[in-house]
Short mmCIF file of all heavy atoms in Angstrom, two decimals:
data_model
loop_
_atom_site.label_atom_id
_atom_site.label_comp_id
_atom_site.label_asym_id
_atom_site.label_seq_id
_atom_site.Cartn_x
_atom_site.Cartn_y
_atom_site.Cartn_z
N TRP A 50 19.96 -5.39 -13.39
CA TRP A 50 18.63 -5.11 -12.84
C TRP A 50 18.68 -4.78 -11.37
O TRP A 50 18.11 -3.77 -10.90
CB TRP A 50 17.73 -6.32 -13.06
CG TRP A 50 16.29 -6.08 -12.72
CD1 TRP A 50 15.29 -5.62 -13.57
CD2 TRP A 50 15.65 -6.15 -11.45
NE1 TRP A 50 14.11 -5.49 -12.92
CE2 TRP A 50 14.29 -5.84 -11.60
CE3 TRP A 50 16.14 -6.51 -10.14
CZ2 TRP A 50 13.42 -5.82 -10.52
CZ3 TRP A 50 15.22 -6.51 -9.10
CH2 TRP A 50 13.87 -6.11 -9.31
N TRP A 51 19.42 -5.58 -10.61
CA TRP A 51 19.54 -5.26 -9.15
C TRP A 51 20.29 -4.02 -8.86
O TRP A 51 19.89 -3.31 -7.91
CB TRP A 51 20.19 -6.47 -8.45
CG TRP A 51 19.27 -7.63 -8.23
CD1 TRP A 51 19.17 -8.80 -8.93
CD2 TRP A 51 18.29 -7.72 -7.20
NE1 TRP A 51 18.22 -9.59 -8.44
CE2 TRP A 51 17.62 -8.97 -7.36
CE3 TRP A 51 17.89 -6.86 -6.15
CZ2 TRP A 51 16.61 -9.39 -6.52
CZ3 TRP A 51 16.87 -7.31 -5.32
CH2 TRP A 51 16.26 -8.51 -5.52
N HIS A 52 21.25 -3.67 -9.63
CA HIS A 52 22.01 -2.39 -9.35
C HIS A 52 21.09 -1.22 -9.64
O HIS A 52 21.27 -0.08 -9.11
CB HIS A 52 23.28 -2.34 -10.25
CG HIS A 52 24.37 -3.22 -9.72
ND1 HIS A 52 24.81 -3.17 -8.44
CD2 HIS A 52 25.09 -4.22 -10.34
CE1 HIS A 52 25.76 -4.02 -8.27
NE2 HIS A 52 25.95 -4.71 -9.44
N ALA A 53 20.16 -1.36 -10.55
CA ALA A 53 19.16 -0.27 -10.79
C ALA A 53 18.03 -0.28 -9.75
O ALA A 53 17.52 0.77 -9.40
CB ALA A 53 18.59 -0.41 -12.20
N TYR A 54 17.70 -1.43 -9.26
CA TYR A 54 16.59 -1.57 -8.35
C TYR A 54 16.88 -1.03 -6.96
O TYR A 54 16.05 -0.18 -6.46
CB TYR A 54 16.27 -3.12 -8.16
CG TYR A 54 15.27 -3.44 -7.15
CD1 TYR A 54 13.91 -3.23 -7.36
CD2 TYR A 54 15.64 -3.98 -5.92
CE1 TYR A 54 12.92 -3.51 -6.41
CE2 TYR A 54 14.67 -4.28 -4.94
CZ TYR A 54 13.30 -4.09 -5.22
OH TYR A 54 12.40 -4.38 -4.25
N TYR A 55 18.00 -1.29 -6.33
CA TYR A 55 18.21 -0.85 -5.01
C TYR A 55 18.24 0.65 -4.81
O TYR A 55 17.67 1.18 -3.89
CB TYR A 55 19.47 -1.49 -4.44
CG TYR A 55 19.28 -2.81 -3.72
CD1 TYR A 55 19.91 -3.97 -4.18
CD2 TYR A 55 18.43 -2.91 -2.64
CE1 TYR A 55 19.68 -5.19 -3.52
CE2 TYR A 55 18.22 -4.11 -1.97
CZ TYR A 55 18.86 -5.24 -2.46
OH TYR A 55 18.61 -6.43 -1.80
N PRO A 56 18.90 1.43 -5.64
CA PRO A 56 19.01 2.84 -5.41
C PRO A 56 17.73 3.68 -5.75
O PRO A 56 17.70 4.88 -5.67
CB PRO A 56 20.15 3.36 -6.34
CG PRO A 56 20.85 2.12 -6.78
CD PRO A 56 19.84 1.03 -6.76
N ALA A 57 16.62 2.96 -6.10
CA ALA A 57 15.39 3.72 -6.44
C ALA A 57 14.96 4.59 -5.32
O ALA A 57 14.38 5.64 -5.50
CB ALA A 57 14.32 2.71 -6.88
N SER A 58 15.16 4.12 -4.05
CA SER A 58 14.87 4.93 -2.91
C SER A 58 15.80 4.41 -1.78
O SER A 58 16.31 3.30 -1.84
CB SER A 58 13.44 4.91 -2.50
OG SER A 58 13.04 3.62 -2.10
N PHE A 59 15.94 5.22 -0.70
CA PHE A 59 16.86 4.86 0.40
C PHE A 59 16.20 5.35 1.64
O PHE A 59 15.53 6.37 1.76
CB PHE A 59 18.19 5.50 0.17
CG PHE A 59 19.21 5.16 1.25
CD1 PHE A 59 19.55 3.84 1.48
CD2 PHE A 59 19.76 6.11 2.06
CE1 PHE A 59 20.51 3.49 2.48
CE2 PHE A 59 20.71 5.82 3.03
CZ PHE A 59 21.05 4.50 3.25
N LEU A 60 16.40 4.57 2.75
CA LEU A 60 15.89 4.88 4.05
C LEU A 60 16.88 4.37 5.08
O LEU A 60 17.33 3.19 5.04
CB LEU A 60 14.52 4.22 4.21
CG LEU A 60 13.73 4.35 5.53
CD1 LEU A 60 13.44 5.81 5.76
CD2 LEU A 60 12.47 3.53 5.43
N THR A 61 17.24 5.19 6.05
CA THR A 61 18.16 4.83 7.09
C THR A 61 17.80 5.45 8.44
O THR A 61 17.31 6.62 8.45
CB THR A 61 19.60 5.19 6.76
OG1 THR A 61 20.51 4.73 7.76
CG2 THR A 61 19.79 6.68 6.54
N PHE A 62 17.96 4.71 9.52
CA PHE A 62 17.59 5.24 10.81
C PHE A 62 18.34 4.41 11.90
O PHE A 62 18.85 3.32 11.60
CB PHE A 62 16.06 5.17 11.08
CG PHE A 62 15.45 3.84 10.74
CD1 PHE A 62 15.24 2.92 11.71
CD2 PHE A 62 15.06 3.57 9.42
CE1 PHE A 62 14.60 1.68 11.38
CE2 PHE A 62 14.44 2.32 9.09
CZ PHE A 62 14.26 1.42 10.02
N PRO A 63 18.50 4.93 13.11
CA PRO A 63 19.37 4.30 14.09
C PRO A 63 18.74 3.17 14.93
O PRO A 63 18.72 3.16 16.09
CB PRO A 63 19.72 5.48 15.01
CG PRO A 63 18.48 6.34 14.98
CD PRO A 63 17.94 6.20 13.57
N TYR A 64 18.26 2.17 14.21
CA TYR A 64 17.65 0.98 14.83
C TYR A 64 17.99 -0.18 13.91
O TYR A 64 17.26 -0.47 12.99
CB TYR A 64 16.17 1.19 15.02
CG TYR A 64 15.52 0.18 16.02
CD1 TYR A 64 14.24 0.35 16.39
CD2 TYR A 64 16.29 -0.84 16.57
CE1 TYR A 64 13.61 -0.49 17.30
CE2 TYR A 64 15.66 -1.74 17.46
CZ TYR A 64 14.34 -1.56 17.84
OH TYR A 64 13.80 -2.43 18.74
N ALA A 65 19.05 -0.92 14.23
CA ALA A 65 19.56 -1.86 13.31
C ALA A 65 18.58 -2.98 12.95
O ALA A 65 18.45 -3.38 11.76
CB ALA A 65 20.87 -2.52 13.90
N ARG A 66 17.91 -3.50 13.95
CA ARG A 66 16.96 -4.59 13.66
C ARG A 66 15.89 -4.21 12.68
O ARG A 66 15.60 -4.92 11.72
CB ARG A 66 16.37 -5.14 14.94
CG ARG A 66 15.38 -6.30 14.72
CD ARG A 66 15.04 -6.96 15.96
NE ARG A 66 14.03 -6.23 16.75
CZ ARG A 66 13.14 -6.80 17.60
NH1 ARG A 66 13.17 -8.12 17.79
NH2 ARG A 66 12.27 -6.10 18.26
N LEU A 67 15.22 -3.05 12.94
CA LEU A 67 14.15 -2.65 12.06
C LEU A 67 14.61 -2.19 10.73
O LEU A 67 13.98 -2.44 9.71
CB LEU A 67 13.32 -1.47 12.77
CG LEU A 67 11.84 -1.43 12.45
CD1 LEU A 67 11.15 -2.70 12.76
CD2 LEU A 67 11.23 -0.25 13.17
N GLU A 68 15.81 -1.53 10.65
CA GLU A 68 16.35 -1.14 9.42
C GLU A 68 16.70 -2.32 8.53
O GLU A 68 16.35 -2.36 7.39
CB GLU A 68 17.54 -0.25 9.60
CG GLU A 68 18.08 0.38 8.35
CD GLU A 68 19.36 1.14 8.57
OE1 GLU A 68 20.31 0.57 9.16
OE2 GLU A 68 19.53 2.26 8.12
N ALA A 69 17.36 -3.29 9.15
CA ALA A 69 17.67 -4.50 8.37
C ALA A 69 16.42 -5.25 7.90
O ALA A 69 16.31 -5.74 6.77
CB ALA A 69 18.55 -5.47 9.20
N TYR A 70 15.44 -5.28 8.78
CA TYR A 70 14.14 -5.91 8.46
C TYR A 70 13.52 -5.20 7.25
O TYR A 70 13.03 -5.90 6.32
CB TYR A 70 13.17 -5.84 9.61
CG TYR A 70 11.96 -6.64 9.52
CD1 TYR A 70 11.93 -8.01 9.82
CD2 TYR A 70 10.77 -6.10 8.98
CE1 TYR A 70 10.80 -8.77 9.66
CE2 TYR A 70 9.66 -6.84 8.80
CZ TYR A 70 9.68 -8.19 9.18
OH TYR A 70 8.55 -8.99 8.98
N TYR A 71 13.53 -3.89 7.21
CA TYR A 71 12.97 -3.18 6.08
C TYR A 71 13.69 -3.56 4.78
O TYR A 71 13.01 -3.86 3.76
CB TYR A 71 13.08 -1.63 6.32
CG TYR A 71 12.60 -0.82 5.13
CD1 TYR A 71 11.27 -0.55 5.03
CD2 TYR A 71 13.54 -0.29 4.20
CE1 TYR A 71 10.85 0.21 3.92
CE2 TYR A 71 13.13 0.42 3.14
CZ TYR A 71 11.70 0.71 3.01
OH TYR A 71 11.24 1.42 1.96
N TRP A 72 15.03 -3.55 4.85
CA TRP A 72 15.74 -3.83 3.55
C TRP A 72 15.59 -5.29 3.10
O TRP A 72 15.61 -5.55 1.94
CB TRP A 72 17.21 -3.45 3.70
CG TRP A 72 17.33 -1.96 3.59
CD1 TRP A 72 17.64 -1.06 4.63
CD2 TRP A 72 17.17 -1.19 2.42
NE1 TRP A 72 17.66 0.19 4.15
CE2 TRP A 72 17.39 0.20 2.79
CE3 TRP A 72 16.88 -1.48 1.08
CZ2 TRP A 72 17.27 1.23 1.84
CZ3 TRP A 72 16.76 -0.45 0.14
CH2 TRP A 72 17.00 0.85 0.53
N ILE A 73 15.38 -6.20 4.01
CA ILE A 73 15.07 -7.60 3.60
C ILE A 73 13.77 -7.63 2.86
O ILE A 73 13.61 -8.38 1.89
CB ILE A 73 15.05 -8.54 4.83
CG1 ILE A 73 16.40 -8.59 5.44
CG2 ILE A 73 14.61 -9.92 4.40
CD1 ILE A 73 16.47 -9.36 6.81
N GLN A 74 12.80 -6.83 3.26
CA GLN A 74 11.49 -6.85 2.56
C GLN A 74 11.65 -6.20 1.17
O GLN A 74 11.03 -6.71 0.20
CB GLN A 74 10.45 -6.07 3.37
CG GLN A 74 10.25 -6.52 4.83
CD GLN A 74 10.40 -7.98 5.06
OE1 GLN A 74 9.77 -8.79 4.37
NE2 GLN A 74 11.31 -8.39 5.96
N ILE A 75 12.47 -5.22 1.02
CA ILE A 75 12.72 -4.64 -0.29
C ILE A 75 13.40 -5.70 -1.14
O ILE A 75 13.10 -5.86 -2.33
CB ILE A 75 13.59 -3.37 -0.17
CG1 ILE A 75 12.83 -2.32 0.65
CG2 ILE A 75 13.95 -2.85 -1.55
CD1 ILE A 75 11.52 -1.82 0.03
#
Side-chain angles (χ1 to χ4, degrees):
W50 189 93
W51 280 101
H52 285 306
Y54 172 76
Y55 268 120
S58 65
F59 182 61
L60 180 61
T61 182
F62 48 97
Y64 196 173
R66 180 169 76 155
L67 209 58
E68 186 186 50
Y70 190 86
Y71 176 82
W72 283 107
I73 294 171
Q74 307 323 307
I75 298 299

